[in-house]
């Protein structure tokens, strides 16, 4: 364990992934298959000389300038080809012709067609169809522009992420060190890197001095990996003598030969793989498509029915065609596109405020539909910062506070042993805070040095105060740095007490090595001999901490006897001339990259929301499992097959895999699984951790989940996550720690890197899905009172009750704000307590919604409208009985003495004014019945009395639509501009009974629905 | 393969023999939903009928609730011109005006003196013929005043069967649209009709003669009490005879009603309180 731990896992991951994935991917191009294959690097197995020969370079002199120029010409610059960016006009066209817009475009084209037919056959064609066509076009164009600019705004925020600082690299060419632009580095260049540098290309290390690289963005390992010239592994990703493009050198120096540049680097291949992946439609796009199908179906059905009816009634073919087009177009909800866009934008804005930046408007809803989240560990679930988690001293495990804000519990610091332990940890430690950070909180300070030493430094600084003062008091006399043969580090210091001339020897290292050098142990501040019992206790503690996935260090010290080592003794660290055994064991400290504070809560919320959270990490199984347990991905009490085997003390093979709900799967096992086995695992385990996975395997896992019908969200920050991010239904990248590649591939960015923001995203996504349903139900309902007047006009030859202009006034005027206000509606029940929707069953718009909107509420509305129409005509002298069949005379311009039911005679214009007054009244009636519709659409199951009227925007919407209707009716000049006429006050009240009926009817329906869950009413009317 | 699958999916949707579902519903499910909608729509129809009934109860039998759109009654000419509002004929071509004469014949039929005497009352001229209801007791049916065809004299079609069309001196008959309760003119100053040529045609119109004299509509024909109360109401007429209108040229004529309390009609309505038409008499010599 300890320092050796990571090595053992490396062996297990030999030839991690080879030619398996390509077989799985049908239909992918040869190129993509190639990219999914293992990295074709072989240079790590060659000797340095062979590598030099291969690249015609010299180990001392480097390339000649001529050769470098030649190679640069051959291979191109050392930079990643940016993913092909969609030209702006293509993006714009996508907004203009995508999804819902198609419906409106079809409508507009039909309108123009109808107008053309009319213009060709009639002398004075009615302009209605022309205007309608123009308005439809305008609506699509304006909405298209709107959403285009919305997305442009988001992508502008994206731009700012791009790190534009040009990188420099130190190369040796013709024997001279030159600083050149990283883009000009070519294969074969001899390169020097030092701590803090970014590695400019894939390099084969030829010599290294304490060099460590941070591979976390590539493999997900939080700990820096040391680099050396020796080949330690067949897998180029695992071997120590290759350092990868765009990873960071944390400390030490190294020299190496560039073996790959640009897109041929490991990083480059992943980036290319990512940008080449095809992504499917967003769930909301699928829903909108389904919605269009339904609407088109209804429109065509109505159109054709009435076309046939018109023919039977004796209209000419041409007239019937005009009617057909008119009916189809009337079915198009003109305002809905704008409504949906605005609703999504509002949610996107709300989410951006909560630190979820959505790159693509449609992705707003996707998190709400998500049924599986595949989360990366490092940096997403964890803080990506080693922290001391546990200590063992006085034969007791103490827990340290690992929370980001130090809100956790503190342990007992009064023990003398702890003082000794902290002194050892502080002194035998080369890490130090970078200067000028006194105002920064300790945990956030930058540290120069190794991750675990920084962790110790911060831990001591937090609990014992300034480490620097401690070090100043205990001057260092000698030091042996850590190396992999000793596996320990020691230093010799003067003591604090100026009268005490003894030297203090402090040592830390792999616990078993430390234990070997100790003969005593400190308990409650007293040195006691190390007996078997204590050794046993040590082993147990060591095992327990190791089992938590933590990296354990042992600490010991010794006050060197003054007689042997008097003051001024010359300690020789090369040829150790002092005592390094029979030391006094002080304690253990263990470190882990701890989970972020908000994560366990967020995972719990996801789980109660029915979302499966899968951990997919490149890190080691034990660490992964520990973190998974820590954050609740493996919940308390759930065991893996291995756990059961260990508990029952039987071999793993005898355990029924069905008994284990949780499982931890190693990347190397994953590679041997068939597709069916994979499906089996994903289906039968609720809590899954994938460890040691490669980027390609992450992709396979995502594809596996999608194959089972899940809507998958992937969170990640590293380059290794980006193929999965891209493939996922929604990729969520980290805004602060995330790499550019991952941000490019993602659909959503968590600006605060907080996994908990995902919960917000899920909540908002679910809410907007529900609210869009309500909004659509509201908008569609008024379609019926808009279509029926035209149908009756055709069938029973009455004067037209509602004209095109008034229809547009409803769709694009009065209905807009109320429909949008439904986006602000609060959830009816706890939406985070229910299962995610089933994309094949729970549709945005289903036949039940249509049945309610068109068949029930819409019909009541139409009656309300017709009632006020009949009232106005009757009060002006035309009784209903006279109206049927009056149309031909009514619309005859030359008939200026049309007789009404009372014997009065009307000129054409006089009766047209009455007709337009009817249009206005019908319009006002629709507004009145839409009040009730808006209130009933607030809820789908609850009563309005349970839900309350807390939605201020909705209340505003009610007043706004009423005010707008009044304005359109009473504003002087409207008779000329829109042919709308002032109404007598009483006419406003015609539709009130119907408005009331709608409210009562729907409340009754919802009451039955609540009383009889699963009953007929629910099955037929719950949308 | 995929297409076949889609096709069979569709077929199964249409009729699924396994679950006995037609269009995704079983017979009983269809029955229930039909029954629901039947009941639902019946109730709605009932509700609609109820509201309509209540509304009809509020209406007055003899006078509509609102008449504000008829404040300027329309003016209509006979013979009725078609969509173009043109009366065009050739003097010598009998067929071209015969239809006009026939129309007028038919139109004036009810005004025959014998018929009028039989049905209608001889009223005192020059004052409104007011027949008030006495409270709740309706004074119905109400009597109407005679309008005798002979009043139109040479435009009555009695002396000249062709209403002057043959001579190129055509008669046009103008009537004021009926509006219940309308009392045109003030202080018993009867309304009258005047015709004039439009701007450019002023010199072409020639001499006009009105019947009854001055184009007056006698006050005794007002008010109108509606077709239920005043079944035999005879709408007063005014005839205009164009004595020497310029032949072979379009003459645009506008006639209007002159009464102090009839507002001038709006710009949009060309037939409220006025009527325009084009008269063209072609002559071969």
């Amino acid at each position: 364990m300890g320092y050796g731990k990571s090595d053992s896992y490396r062996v297990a991951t030999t030839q991690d992934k080879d030619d398996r994935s390509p077989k799985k991917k049908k239909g992918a191009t040869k190129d993509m298959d190639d990219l999914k294959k293992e990295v074709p690097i072989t240079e790590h197995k060659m000797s340095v000389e062979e590598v030099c020969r291969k690249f015609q370079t010299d180990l001392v002199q480097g390339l000649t300038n001529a050769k470098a120029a030649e190679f640069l010409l051959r291979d191109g610059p050392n930079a990643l080809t940016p993913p092909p960016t969609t030209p702006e006009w293509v993006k714009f066209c996508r907004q203009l012709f995508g999804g819902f817009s198609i419906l409106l475009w079809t409508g507009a084209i039909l309108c123009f067609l109808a107008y053309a037919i009319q213009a060709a056959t009639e002398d004075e064609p009615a302009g209605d169809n022309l205007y309608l066509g123009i308005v439809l076009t305008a609506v699509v164009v304006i909405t298209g522009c709107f959403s285009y600019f919305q997305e442009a705004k988001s992508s502008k925020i994206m731009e700012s992420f791009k790190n534009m600082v040009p990188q420099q690299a130190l190369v040796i060419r013709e024997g001279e060190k030159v600083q050149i632009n990283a883009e000009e580095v070519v294969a074969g260049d001899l390169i020097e890197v030092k701590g803090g540098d970014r590695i400019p290309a894939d390099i084969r290390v030829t010599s290294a001095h304490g060099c460590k690289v941070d591979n976390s963005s590539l493999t997900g390992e939080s700990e820096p990996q040391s680099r050396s010239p020796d080949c330690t592994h067949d897998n180029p990703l695992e071997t120590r003598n290759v350092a990868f493009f765009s990873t960071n050198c944390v400390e030490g120096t190294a020299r190496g030969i560039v073996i790959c540049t640009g897109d041929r680097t490991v990083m480059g291949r992943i980036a290319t793989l990512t940008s080449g992946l095809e992504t499917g439609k967003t769930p909301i796009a699928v829903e909108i498509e389904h919605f269009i199908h339904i609407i088109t179906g209804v429109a065509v059905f109505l159109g054709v029915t009435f076309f046939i009816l018109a023919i039977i009634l004796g209209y000419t073919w041409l007239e019937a065609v005009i009617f057909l087009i008119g009916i189809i177009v009337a079915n198009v909800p003109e305002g809905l596109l704008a409504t949906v866009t605005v609703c999504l934008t509002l949610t996107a804005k709300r989410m951006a405020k909560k630190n979820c930046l959505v790159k693509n408007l449609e992705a707003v809803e996707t998190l709400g539909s998500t049924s599986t989240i595949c989360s990366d560990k490092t940096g997403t679930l964890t803080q990506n910062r080693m922290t001391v988690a546990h200590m063992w001293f006085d034969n007791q495990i103490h827990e340290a506070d690992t929370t980001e804000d130090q809100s956790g519990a503190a342990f007992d610091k009064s023990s003398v042993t702890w003082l000794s332990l902290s002194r050892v940890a502080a002194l035998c430690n080369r890490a130090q805070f970078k200067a000028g950070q006194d105002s920064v909180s300790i945990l956030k300070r930058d540290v120069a040095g190794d991750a675990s030493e920084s962790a110790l430094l911060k831990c001591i600084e937090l609990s014992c105060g300034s480490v620097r003062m401690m070090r100043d008091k205990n001057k260092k006399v000698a030091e042996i740095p850590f190396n992999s043969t000793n596996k320990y580090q020691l230093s010799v210091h003067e003591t604090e007490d100026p009268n005490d001339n003894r030297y203090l020897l402090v040592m830390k290292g792999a616990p078993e090595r430390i234990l070997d050098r100790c003969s005593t142990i400190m308990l409650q501040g007293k040195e006691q001999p190390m007996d078997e019992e204590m050794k046993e206790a040590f082993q147990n503690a060591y095992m327990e901490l190791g089992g938590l996935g933590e990296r354990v260090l042992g600490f010991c010290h010794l006050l060197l006897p003054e007689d042997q080592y008097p003051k001024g003794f010359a300690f020789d660290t090369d040829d150790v001339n002092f005592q390094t055994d029979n030391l006094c064991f002080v304690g253990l400290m263990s470190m882990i990259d701890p989970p972020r504070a908000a994560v366990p809560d967020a995972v719990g919320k996801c789980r109660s929301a029915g979302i499966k959270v899968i951990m997919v990490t490149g890190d080691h199984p034990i660490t992964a499992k520990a973190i998974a347990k820590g954050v609740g991905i493996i919940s308390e009490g759930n065991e893996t097959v291995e756990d059961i085997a260990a508990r029952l003390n039987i071999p793993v093979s005898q355990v029924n895999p069905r008994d284990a709900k949780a499982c931890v799967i190693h990347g190397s096992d994953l590679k041997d699984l068939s597709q069916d086995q994979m499906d089996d695992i994903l289906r039968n385990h609720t809590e899954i951790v994938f460890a040691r996975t490669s980027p390609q395997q992450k992709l396979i896992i995502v594809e596996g989940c999608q194959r089972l019908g899940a809507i998958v969200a992937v969170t990640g920050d590293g380059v290794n996550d980006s193929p999965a991010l891209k493939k996922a239904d929604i990729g969520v990248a980290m805004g602060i720690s995330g790499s550019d590649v991952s941000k490019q591939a993602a659909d959503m960015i968590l600006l605060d890197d907080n996994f908990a923001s995902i919960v917000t995203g899920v909540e908002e996504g679910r809410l907007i899905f529900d609210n869009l349903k309500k909004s659509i139900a509201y908008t569609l309902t008024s379609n019926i009172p808009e279509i029926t007047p035209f149908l009756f006009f055709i069938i029973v030859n009455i004067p037209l009750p509602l004209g095109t202009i008034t229809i547009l006034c409803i769709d694009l005027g009065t209905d807009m704000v109320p429909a949008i206000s439904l986006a602000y509606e609060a959830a009816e029940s706890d939406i985070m307590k229910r299962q995610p929707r089933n994309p094949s069953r729970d549709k945005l718009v289903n036949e039940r919604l249509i049945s309610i909107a068109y068949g029930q509420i819409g019909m009541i509305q139409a009656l309300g409208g017709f009632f006020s129409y009949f009232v106005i005509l009757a009060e002006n002298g035309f009784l209903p009985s006279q109206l049927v069949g009056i149309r031909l005379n009514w619309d005859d311009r030359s008939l200026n003495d049309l007789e009404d039911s009372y014997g009065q005679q009307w000129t054409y214009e006089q009766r047209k004014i009455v007709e337009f007054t009817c249009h206005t009244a019908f319009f006002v009636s629709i507004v009145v019945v839409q009040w009730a519709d808006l209130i009933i659409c607030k809820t789908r199951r609850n009563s309005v009395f349970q839900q309350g009227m807390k939605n201020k925007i909705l209340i505003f919407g009610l007043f706004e639509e009423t005010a707008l209707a009044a304005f359109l009716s009473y504003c002087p000049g409207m008779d000329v501009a829109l042919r709308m006429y002032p109404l007598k006050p009483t006419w406003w009240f015609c539709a009130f009974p119907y408005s009331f009926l709608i409210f009562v009817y729907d409340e009754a329906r919802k009451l039955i629905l609540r009383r009889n869950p699963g009953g007929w009413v629910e099955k037929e009317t719950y949308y | 393969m995929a297409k076949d699958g889609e096709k069979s999916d569709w077929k199964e949707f249409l009729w699924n023999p396994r679950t006995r579902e037609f269009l995704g519903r079983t017979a009983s499910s269809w029955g229930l939903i039909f029954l629901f909608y039947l009941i639902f729509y019946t109730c709605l129809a009932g509700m609609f009928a109820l509201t309509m009934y209540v509304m009809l109860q509020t209406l007055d039998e003899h006078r509509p609730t609102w008449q504000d759109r008829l404040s300027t009654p329309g003016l209509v000419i006979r013979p009725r011109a078609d969509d173009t509002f043109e009366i065009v004929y050739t003097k010598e071509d009998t067929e071209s005006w015969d239809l006009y004469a026939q129309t007028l014949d038919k139109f004036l039929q009810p005004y025959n003196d014998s018929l009028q005497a039989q049905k209608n009352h001889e009223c005192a001229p020059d004052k409104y013929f007011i027949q008030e209801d006495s409270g709740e007791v309706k004074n119905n049916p109400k009597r109407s005043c005679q309008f005798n065809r002979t009043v139109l004299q040479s435009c009555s079609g009695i002396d000249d069967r062709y209403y002057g069309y043959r001579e190129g001196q055509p008669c046009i008959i103008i009537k004021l649209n009926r509006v219940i309760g309308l009392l045109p003119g003030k202080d018993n100053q009867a309304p009258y009709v005047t015709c004039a040529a439009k701007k450019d045609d002023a010199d072409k119109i020639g001499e006009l003669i009105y019947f009854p004299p001055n184009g007056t509509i006698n006050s005794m024909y007002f008010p109108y009490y509606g077709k239920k109360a005043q079944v035999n109401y005879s709408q007063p007429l005014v005839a205009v005879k164009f004595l020497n209108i310029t032949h072979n040229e379009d003459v645009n004529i506008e006639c209007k009603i002159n009464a102090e309390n009839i507002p001038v009609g709006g710009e949009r309505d060309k037939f409220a309180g006025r009527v325009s038409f084009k008269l063209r008499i072609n002559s071969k010599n």
Side-chain angles (χ1 to χ4, degrees), chain A residues 186-201:
Chain A
V186 297
D189 260 334
L190 197 57
I191 281 202
E192 258 193 29
V193 286
K194 58 178 192 307
D197 283 354
R198 188 171 247 207
I199 296 177

Side-chain angles (χ1 to χ4, degrees), chain A residues 410-458:
Chain A
F411 58 95
D412 175 26
K413 289 174 187 164
S414 57
S415 166
V416 186
T417 323
W418 162 243
L419 286 178
S420 304
L421 182 60
S422 60
R423 190 173 60 188
V424 181
L427 296 181
C428 186
N429 189 336
R430 290 166 52 150
Q432 58 191 42
F433 290 112
K434 289 184 182 164
Q437 300 187 88
D438 292 338
S439 55
V440 188
S441 78
I442 294 170
L443 281 173
K444 295 215 171 93
R445 289 188 201 165
D446 278 340
V447 179
D450 167 277
S452 42
E453 293 206 325
S454 324
L456 292 173
L457 174 68
K458 283 179 181 172

Side-chain angles (χ1 to χ4, degrees), chain B residues 48-49 58 99 115 139 150 175 190-191 195 222 242:
Chain B
F48 187 67
T58 66
L99 209 66
L115 268 173
N139 178 17
T150 44
K175 66 182 179 100
C195 291
F222 301 102
F242 296 87

Side-chain angles (χ1 to χ4, degrees), chain A residues 278-354:
Chain A
E278 291 290 324
T279 47
K281 285 195 185 109
T282 58
I284 196 80
V286 174
E287 292 306 320
I288 285 177
E289 201 166 274
H290 180 249
F291 170 54
I292 291 176
H293 283 166
I294 290 189
I295 285 289
T296 319
V298 172
V300 171
F301 171 75
L302 271 182
V304 170
T305 311
F306 281 86
F307 175 78
I308 295 168
L309 220 55
I311 295 284
I312 293 171
L313 286 171
Y315 287 98
T316 64
W317 279 95
L318 229 42
E319 279 174 315
V321 168
I322 301 284
F323 290 158
L324 171 78
I325 294 176
I327 293 169
I328 291 178
V329 172
N331 267 293
V332 176
E334 290 91 353
L336 204 50
L337 172 64
T339 308
V340 170
T341 312
V342 172
C343 287
L344 290 178
T345 311
L346 288 174
T347 307
K349 286 225 157 117
R350 203 152 44 183
M351 284 166 84
K353 247 185 233 160
K354 295 178 184 171

